[in-house]
Amino acid sequence: MVCRLMLITLLLIIVLPEYVFSAVNDENLLDDVVLQFRNQVVIWVPIIRTHAIRLFWLLAVIDLSWTGIKLALSSSNLSETLGEITRHILFIGFFFNLLMFSNTWAMAIVNSLQSIANQAVLVTGGDTGLSPSDIFEIGHKMVDKILA
C-alpha cells in the first residue's frame, strides 16, 4: 500500500510538475511560517517549561534517591560516596541549565548558522539576507531545471 502511494506521488511529480509545485510560488511563504512559529513559541514555551521543570526535579530526586540507596548498600567509603553525589549534582545542574536556557541557546545557534550562511553567500558573490523562502525557491528552481 505504501509503495503504491509513493509510486503515484512520484508519477504525479514527474507528469504534472506545474500543478504539483503551483502552491509553492507564493513569495516568502516559508518566512511567514517561521514568523508564525516564533510568535506562537512565545505563548507556549512558559507553559511547557513549567511542566518540564516540575518533571525534571521529580526525576532528579528519584535519581539521587536511587544513587543514595545504591551507595548505602555498597561497601563504598566516604570519598567515593561524596564523589558520586558530587557527579550527580553537577550532572543535574548541567541539564537544569540546559532546560532553563534552551530557548536562548537554540536561537543563538540558529542565528549564528544563518550568519555563517550569509557570509558564505557573500563570498560566492550572492546577496546577503538569505531566508528560508530564498533557499526553498533556489531548490524549486533547481527542480524545475532538472525536470525540464
Side-chain angles (χ1 to χ4, degrees):
M1 181 66 181
V2 174
C3 290
R4 288 182 185 173
L5 183 63
M6 288 175 51
L7 182 62
I8 291 171
T9 305
L10 184 63
L11 286 174
L12 283 175
I13 289 173
I14 291 172
V15 175
L16 306 169
E18 63 273 356
Y19 297 111
V20 173
F21 294 113
S22 63
V24 180
N25 292 331
D26 189 15
E27 290 290 324
N28 301 325
L29 175 70
L30 291 179
D31 294 338
D32 294 339
V33 170
V34 169
L35 183 63
Q36 289 176 3
F37 179 76
R38 285 185 181 169
N39 292 338
Q40 292 300 314
V41 165
V42 174
I43 296 169
W44 51 261
V45 161
I47 297 167
I48 292 175
R49 183 171 283 147
T50 302
H51 292 290
I53 290 171
R54 186 177 305 133
L55 177 63
F56 176 84
W57 286 117
L58 177 69
L59 293 174
V61 167
I62 291 171
D63 181 51
L64 280 175
S65 301
W66 181 252
T67 302
I69 291 170
K70 285 190 328 188
L71 289 172
L73 295 176
S74 69
S75 60
S76 59
N77 59 19
L78 183 62
S79 64
E80 290 176 4
T81 303
L82 289 176
E84 189 68 27
I85 290 173
T86 303
R87 263 184 261 135
H88 269 72
I89 290 173
L90 289 173
F91 182 79
I92 289 169
F94 170 75
F95 280 101
F96 182 69
N97 279 323
L98 189 62
L99 178 64
M100 292 303 297
F101 301 112
S102 59
N103 193 25
T104 305
W105 293 347
M107 288 307 299
I109 291 169
V110 168
N111 290 338
S112 67
L113 290 174
Q114 189 173 18
S115 173
I116 291 169
N118 284 328
Q119 289 175 9
V121 168
L122 274 177
V123 169
T124 59
D127 295 329
T128 62
L130 274 180
S131 67
S133 293
D134 295 334
I135 295 170
F136 192 77
E137 288 172 16
I138 290 169
H140 185 258
K141 288 177 185 176
M142 288 174 57
V143 168
D144 282 344
K145 287 182 181 178
I146 290 170
L147 292 176

